[in-house]
Amino acid sequence: MGAVSATARTPKQDRSRATRQRLLEAAVACLAERGWAGSTVTVVAERAGVSRGAAQHHFPTREDLFTGAIEFVAEQWLVALREHAHALPREGVPRTHAVVGMVVDLYTGPIFRAALHLWVAAANEEQLRPRVTALESRIGREAHRLAVEMLDADEAVTGVRETVQATLDMARGLGLANLLSDDSARRTGIVREWSAVLDGVLRRGI
Amino acid sequence: MGAVSATARTPKQDRSRATRQRLLEAAVACLAERGWAGSTVTVVAERAGVSRGAAQHHFPTREDLFTGAIEFVAEQWLVALREHAHALPREGVPRTHAVVGMVVDLYTGPIFRAALHLWVAAANEEQLRPRVTALESRIGREAHRLAVEMLDADEAVTGVRETVQATLDMARGLGLANLLSDDSARRTGIVREWSAVLDGVLRRGI
């Protein structure tokens, strides 16, 4: 009987999980396209093909839905990045360039665009601010840790930690520069030159 | 008689100019504190102590007022920076550090905070987008030119142009990181290390 109810429960749980994931993905797409002002639970539920009631069952508030969505996609992205790390060039400037390129791709893509809308909205919305502050700091820390690992950076060497942090800040700035117009040509040159400079800083201690 | 009407006209022109300036300054403060959604011509007129009619005489549309405001304060800031350039250390890492610090101060201060709200709102508002795109590219170009001049950077040297651009992008990223919480402690270390690295790139060609 235990076995029967277990098999009976599983498809329902799968459906619930799939619904949740559809809502999270629709929420990120909605934020990226319409900004915070245009992003409501109703709009996202419609886009995901889910009833408003079902959406509210998963995410009681608008803040739950959108902070949950950014967290979900950012984590997915970090996991994917870790999985692809083995495909990177083994060492030297080519590896540094590839890692900087991957980080910059994150910050110039649709996930960052969605996060940026949430981030800026949080500056003026009391309900959002503490959650987005915590979320941003968690994602920032994770991205930093991953960058250090993939760059094989020794943070004990003077200046290495700050230069890796600066690389992430530069990537965020490039994301902003890409918001209103296609900045990819300028960005390619910056990523190339900065990767060479960063590689020099990383190898100083060796 | 010409002299009489000239003296009669001047105080009125002065008042009109003062009103315009009060509106522009109130608009920037309003954007920085309330974001785009909370920034209307009415709110700004009230804050500036100007009638709504007078505000609309100066700025027929909401877009005119807010893009005009960012342009005005950014230009004021660039002029002030140019005037203070003589007080910088004469050369070497201390000068590079001082210049990077000034640029980062711009992007982490209230002007950038206001501009950021306008920038992100422009991503989803058709009426704003072309004007903010043009404004952002103009300010970005001016900031780049000023940075090159103050850093005494020779853009003919390979990588110099891109590294100066990367510095401005990093400054924008630091501005974003400072939006929801005080990031000044982390920023101090980043500015110090970045300045040393940038100075090395600038002196490569010498």
Side-chain angles (χ1 to χ4, degrees), chain A residues 97 174 183-194, chain B residues 162:
Chain A
H97 192 174
L174 288 172
D183 188 44
S184 52
R186 190 184 75 98
R187 187 164 69 237
T188 300
I190 293 178
V191 167
R192 184 188 62 236
E193 292 304 325
W194 181 251
Chain B
E162 290 82 357

Side-chain angles (χ1 to χ4, degrees), chain A residues 33-35 112 116-117 119-120 123-124 133 159 162 165-166 169 173-174 176 180 186 189-190 193-194 197 201, chain B residues 33-35 112 116-117 119-120 123-124 133 159 162 165-166 169-170 173-174 176 180 186 189-190 193-194 197 201:
Chain A
E33 284 168 27
R34 298 174 170 226
F112 179 74
L116 185 59
H117 284 291
W119 201 343
V120 169
N124 309 103
T133 305
E162 289 83 358
Q165 285 181 328
D169 285 298
L174 288 172
L176 203 50
L180 300 184
R186 190 184 75 98
I190 293 178
E193 292 304 325
W194 181 251
V197 171
V201 173
Chain B
E33 284 168 25
R34 301 175 168 223
F112 180 74
L116 185 58
H117 284 292
W119 200 343
V120 169
N124 310 104
T133 305
E162 290 82 357
Q165 286 181 326
D169 285 298
M170 181 212 58
L174 287 174
L176 202 50
L180 300 184
R186 189 185 75 98
I190 292 179
E193 294 304 326
W194 183 283
V197 171
V201 173

